[in-house]
Amino acid sequence: MERDAEFMERAVKLAARGLGHTRPNPAVGAVIVKGGKIIGEGWHKKAGKDHAEVAAIKNAARRGAKILKGATIYVTLEPCSKPGRVGACTDAIVTAGISRVVYAVPDPNPKNRGKAKRALAKHGIKCERFKGDADILKLADDLICDFRKHVTTGLPYVIVKIAMSLDGKICDDFGNAKWISSADSRRLTGSTLREINDAIMVGAETVRKDNPSLLSHGRRNNDLVRVIISKSGRLPKNAQVFTDGAPNKTLVFDDAAKAVRELGKMGIVSVLCEGGLKLARSLAEVGLVDQWITIVAPVVIGSRPIGKAIRGRLNVDESFIACGDSFVTVDFERRGRP
């Protein structure tokens, strides 16, 4: 029991591999331990595929584990007790012969919340909440902040990312916003954030001016949905989002709030908005923003074009994330790879 934190931390790291791919399900990781050694591990990779617990049980079998009696399974989320597209995880745990279950976060889904302990107790299996390291618990909770919102409200978790200068500008007087932030900060947001979210949203002007692909700059996420907000619907037919041949869907809506509601109905549980102040304001005014990520660059734009903006040197407090010549401050909940 004194090594619970070590094994739960491993489960959290495994769970993070599923971020951006499991909708409408949460990202979950599991580790099976016997005799103080990990004998199986797994994570939920996609809706309709094995849940983390089943993946870990199968992994244990492939590793040669013949008997799981006396084993403990560490799971980042309370095991489901009702079958859905796949069987109930409590049934799989019973069948495998596992003796103890430790989970980090209760399932926010009313169909499952608090029911795993009762279902497993009938078979003499201990089921308990992880009471160890608070930082690990926070990471496990962060992993499902989007799922929690979606399963309780039907809406996706909305993250707004904005880059701004020291004089509070997100573009110059000519409407140009490329580039205020540094290459390092763009890699952080363009790679990590696009890898772990279900959809990315921008406005029509971003498509017209910058012609972005809106795809991850790092590890490819073929499950990422591209969302464009355009009241007129008039968008360049040759824009990358329509012509790059990527398997990623591109959806067009005439209203941001309407788009968020429709995306929720489609099973999208997280949306990253990179569309600038106008789009961000339209979401904030109707209370749809859950998290703000602000990239502040040591740049003074004034009335100049961005290319002639005055750039200073970075010297920031440790509470910020330094990214090249910019720094990132994250407000509200944190969601990302541990």
Side-chain angles (χ1 to χ4, degrees), residues 28 39 53 57 98 119 123 138 145 152 155 203 209 224 226 232 244 253 255 267 274 282 303 326 332:
V28 182
I39 61 172
E53 296 91 329
I57 290 169
I98 290 170
H123 301 274
K138 179 64 168 64
C145 61
T152 55
L155 297 171
K209 282 182 173 291
L224 182 71
R226 300 178 283 195
S232 68
D244 60 10
F253 295 90
D255 177 78
E274 291 189 2
S282 69
S303 59
S326 305
F332 305 143

Side-chain angles (χ1 to χ4, degrees), residues 25 44 46-52 54 80 82-89:
N25 296 343
H44 185 40
K46 202 175 185 69
K49 294 188 179 295
D50 291 337
H51 285 188
V54 175
C80 63
K82 298 289 183 183
R85 292 176 66 178
V86 297
C89 290

Side-chain angles (χ1 to χ4, degrees), residues 103-325:
Y103 67 91
V105 183
D107 193 332
N109 188 339
K111 294 181 180 179
N112 292 305
R113 186 182 179 93
K115 297 179 181 178
K117 186 173 184 176
R118 293 195 298 271
L120 294 169
K122 295 176 183 177
H123 301 274
I125 301 172
K126 295 180 181 178
C127 181
E128 58 196 77
R129 177 93 184 269
F130 174 69
K131 298 181 177 65
D133 192 293
D135 289 337
I136 296 174
L137 274 172
K138 179 64 168 64
L139 286 171
D141 195 62
D142 286 344
L143 286 167
I144 67 156
C145 61
D146 53 358
F147 173 71
R148 179 183 292 109
K149 183 181 180 185
H150 187 258
V151 80
T152 55
T153 68
L155 297 171
Y157 185 88
V158 178
I159 302 167
V160 172
K161 187 212 81 176
I162 290 182
M164 68 168 59
S165 64
L166 288 176
D167 52 341
K169 292 197 171 189
I170 66 167
C171 64
D172 61 22
D173 290 349
F174 308 94
N176 299 309
K178 195 176 181 178
W179 300 101
I180 291 176
S181 59
S182 67
D184 285 343
S185 66
R186 293 195 297 275
R187 277 192 289 272
L188 172 73
T189 56
S191 296
T192 303
L193 291 177
R194 292 183 188 180
E195 283 179 19
I196 65 174
N197 285 289
D198 294 337
I200 178 168
M201 179 186 292
V202 298
E205 279 303 298
T206 297
V207 175
R208 295 184 188 115
K209 282 182 173 291
D210 300 338
N211 190 24
S213 73
L214 301 181
L215 301 177
S216 171
H217 299 164
R219 189 181 68 172
R220 191 172 182 95
N221 180 359
N222 289 339
D223 296 314
L224 182 71
V225 175
R226 300 178 283 195
V227 180
I228 316 299
I229 307 301
S230 173
K231 289 188 179 300
S232 68
R234 292 192 295 272
L235 295 164
K237 293 182 180 179
N238 62 347
Q240 283 196 78
V241 291
F242 302 122
T243 62
D244 60 10
N248 306 75
K249 294 180 181 177
T250 297
L251 306 176
V252 179
F253 295 90
D254 60 7
D255 177 78
K258 176 183 175 182
V260 169
R261 291 191 292 271
E262 290 301 315
L263 291 170
K265 292 177 183 177
M266 293 167 54
I268 299 292
V269 301
S270 63
V271 177
L272 171 64
C273 175
E274 291 189 2
L277 185 60
K278 184 177 180 181
L279 182 55
R281 182 185 291 132
S282 69
L283 292 169
E285 286 177 346
V286 291
L288 287 175
V289 179
D290 299 287
Q291 180 180 15
W292 293 90
I293 296 179
T294 308
I295 300 171
V296 183
V299 175
V300 177
I301 296 175
S303 59
R304 311 171 188 85
I306 282 184
K308 295 183 179 180
I310 299 172
R311 290 187 175 268
R313 295 179 61 188
L314 178 68
N315 183 19
V316 296
D317 182 283
E318 288 182 357
S319 62
F320 299 99
I321 305 170
C323 294
D325 72 344

Side-chain angles (χ1 to χ4, degrees), residues 22-42:
T22 63
R23 65 175 183 266
N25 296 343
V28 182
V31 171
I32 300 175
V33 176
K34 187 174 182 179
K37 295 182 179 179
I38 294 177
I39 61 172
E41 55 185 30

